[in-house]
Amino acid sequence: MNKGRKAWAIGALTVLAISAVVFTVDLGPRMEYVPEPAFVQAVDTIPDPPGAYGIPMSGFLIEQEHVRKGSTFGDLLSAHGIGYPVVDSLVRLAEGVFDVKRMQVGRPIAFVFTDDEAHELRYFVYEVDLVEHVVFSTQAPLGVRVGRREIDTQVAQVSVPVTGALYNDLDQAGADPMLSMLLAEIYAWTVDFYRIQKGDRFTLIFEEQRVDGQRYGRPKILAARYESGDAVRDAYFFEQDDQADYFDPEGNSLRKAFLQAPLKFSRISSGFSRRRFHPVQKRFKAHLGTDYAAPYGTPILAVGDGVVEKAGYTGGNGKYVKIRHNGTYSTQYLHMRKILVNQGQRVAQGDVIGEVGSTGLATGPHVCFRFWKNGSQVDHRREEFPSAEPVATAHRARFVREASRLMAELDEARHRADQRVVF
Ligand SMILES: [Zn+2]
């Protein structure tokens, strides 16, 4: 037995030992100690799943590798003594379950051998992702099956003072830094993320998934609290009629009806004006829109939910889209390089509807954004827009219950952060 194989034999034994205890030992709540004054604790824990892909491990050895560039399913198996007729049968058996040509470079694979003189390859395993793996039985009876590792969902809390970039503050507190992105989305209309100050604080109750201890997928924020000076802004996740949203304690949506601009990052190159000098037509003319300059190809976003009323071309507008949001408001986006929606299509706020271009009467790449209110064009930057829908009366009682529970959890997380002993 060579050194590498010995290591895997020990590995296999460890896996065996772990799988044996997983369902009998209560691992207790998972605690992570983090630097004061940040605080993270899992409040709900499900035991880790057993490893070894559900293959009984006694009498087997595992060799784990990664798919290398250029290696194919056939090569990998034939290099371990499996003949092409068997490879062929396995490929056919896998049809509809897994296409072996879809194996990706870098993904983990495992060879499972009998731990005896024969040292025969019994199973080949390909890990599609952290959760899913495909097991090929390489000896009679040949077979293919897809296995899934258990996803461990837990609710955790973190309370972190802002010291610099929120991303780093969360990371240092042991929480998923991805949460900073989610917070920016939740508070997009109520907190200016460029003005967050040192000493402000975020407290979160969030759900995250782990597979074998590794973070998996996107976390979900259940409740968030932003404190800045005396101002406290809570956000509670709530679902009504299959629609999920974040609401303040009064049940108002934190989302405004419209995005501030149709581009994520842009510069206003020309504002709304009843009279301005037109750069192409060389004469004074009203400019009933706001121009946002951005590079060619920048995604243009629908500023609100609605239906595409027009998606077409005119000499002046170039390629353009007009969205009808409700009985009162419509928005129009001009000079696109490419239109990515069709007339009659329903779009959601933030959906990409086209790409920045300079078609029609335009000197350079930009979006001319036009806001229509009751059929006439208005300066959207001077309008006061209503909030998105609040919690409906029918769901009010349930919201009050859930919000008060989440509020208590935020209070507790916040309180614990204060109570921690400073050494
Ligand atoms: Zn314009």
Side-chain angles (χ1 to χ4, degrees):
M1 186 185 272
N2 67 32
K3 221 175 181 182
R5 207 148 273 161
K6 199 173 218 164
W8 286 118
I10 292 165
L13 280 173
T14 314
V15 166
L16 245 188
I18 292 169
S19 22
V21 297
V22 154
F23 292 112
T24 52
V25 175
D26 179 11
L27 299 173
R30 188 174 295 162
M31 296 273 263
E32 282 182 63
Y33 293 98
V34 292
E36 172 64 28
F39 173 82
V40 179
Q41 187 197 15
V43 295
D44 182 23
T45 307
I46 299 164
D48 290 317
Y53 318 106
I55 298 163
M57 289 314 301
S58 171
F60 291 100
L61 291 173
I62 305 182
E63 279 181 22
Q64 282 169 301
E65 287 175 28
H66 291 90
V67 177
R68 292 202 199 110
K69 208 174 166 190
S71 61
T72 65
F73 180 72
D75 297 344
L76 287 167
L77 293 197
S78 68
H80 292 87
I82 304 298
Y84 273 99
V86 170
V87 169
D88 220 56
S89 305
L90 287 173
V91 171
R92 269 185 291 109
L93 281 170
E95 265 169 31
V97 176
F98 179 71
D99 180 357
V100 299
K101 287 196 231 58
R102 274 180 45 225
M103 289 203 320
Q104 282 173 13
V105 175
R107 290 306 310 162
I109 49 177
F111 299 92
V112 182
F113 299 94
T114 53
D115 186 15
D116 55 17
E117 286 297 300
H119 190 67
E120 208 174 51
L121 183 69
R122 269 298 167 81
Y123 303 99
F124 169 71
V125 183
Y126 172 75
E127 293 192 26
V128 180
D129 61 20
L130 215 48
V131 171
E132 216 176 82
H133 51 266
V134 189
V135 182
F136 297 85
S137 169
T138 52
Q139 304 291 336
L142 299 179
V144 180
R145 75 173 169 80
V146 175
R148 291 181 66 83
R149 283 205 181 92
E150 206 176 321
I151 301 174
D152 168 10
T153 303
Q154 48 183 248
V155 176
Q157 43 182 245
V158 62
S159 185
V160 41
V162 175
T163 64
L166 185 56
Y167 186 94
N168 295 331
D169 287 332
L170 284 163
D171 196 25
Q172 271 165 29
D176 189 343
M178 169 79 88
L179 290 164
S180 64
M181 259 67 108
L182 303 180
L183 282 170
E185 280 171 27
I186 292 170
Y187 287 113
W189 291 269
T190 47
V191 173
D192 183 349
F193 267 66
Y194 290 98
R195 303 187 103 159
I196 289 175
Q197 290 172 3
K198 218 171 168 173
D200 289 359
R201 177 182 283 272
F202 283 97
T203 302
L204 308 177
I205 308 294
F206 62 100
E207 200 175 87
E208 65 177 3
Q209 298 184 320
R210 285 176 187 261
V211 174
D212 283 353
Q214 275 181 273
R215 279 194 191 113
Y216 178 74
R218 233 165 103 113
K220 181 167 112 185
I221 293 177
L222 302 175
R225 174 170 297 169
Y226 170 61
E227 292 169 72
S228 177
D230 290 337
V232 178
R233 285 180 191 279
D234 277 10
Y236 308 120
F237 177 85
F238 186 69
E239 268 175 302
Q240 53 177 350
D241 306 321
D242 297 327
Q243 286 263 356
D245 205 350
Y246 289 89
F247 297 91
D248 69 12
E250 280 73 50
N252 296 312
S253 172
L254 264 72
R255 217 157 36 92
K256 289 276 189 338
F258 300 106
L259 295 179
Q260 294 290 330
L263 302 174
K264 265 192 187 140
F265 302 100
S266 61
R267 159 179 80 79
I268 293 177
S269 49
S270 176
F272 186 96
S273 147
R274 300 273 165 208
R275 183 180 155 83
R276 80 149 179 181
F277 189 72
H278 196 282
V280 177
Q281 293 176 320
K282 308 284 184 208
R283 62 186 171 90
F284 282 96
K285 193 181 168 186
H287 181 234
L288 303 178
T290 305
D291 289 350
Y292 292 93
Y296 282 109
T298 303
I300 300 169
L301 316 176
V303 296
D305 297 358
V307 176
V308 178
E309 203 179 17
K310 273 175 202 156
Y313 182 89
T314 66
N317 293 350
K319 291 184 184 168
Y320 76 102
V321 168
K322 190 169 183 181
I323 299 171
R324 194 183 126 90
H325 301 289
N326 51 38
T328 311
Y329 299 107
S330 296
T331 52
Q332 210 180 352
Y333 313 75
L334 316 185
H335 313 308
M336 289 181 174
R337 176 171 83 174
K338 204 172 180 185
I339 294 173
L340 298 171
V341 288
N342 299 311
Q343 213 154 297
Q345 189 180 325
R346 184 157 276 286
V347 291
Q349 184 172 64
D351 280 358
V352 176
I353 57 168
E355 290 177 1
V356 169
S358 57
T359 55
L361 282 179
T363 46
H366 77 283
V367 189
C368 183
F369 177 63
R370 298 180 172 223
F371 217 101
W372 298 75
K373 184 181 183 182
N374 297 320
S376 60
Q377 300 187 59
V378 296
D379 185 353
H380 72 286
R381 290 183 302 141
R382 289 172 184 269
E383 291 288 313
E384 279 273 9
F385 295 112
S387 290
E389 288 299 298
V391 172
T393 320
H395 301 290
R396 205 83 201 173
R398 184 167 57 88
F399 173 76
V400 170
R401 275 199 307 278
E402 285 188 27
S404 53
R405 178 178 57 80
L406 289 169
M407 187 187 283
E409 283 183 34
L410 283 172
D411 288 345
E412 194 216 283
R414 181 70 183 82
H415 182 68
R416 282 202 203 207
D418 278 343
Q419 292 303 301
R420 280 176 60 91
V421 185
V422 185
F423 292 101

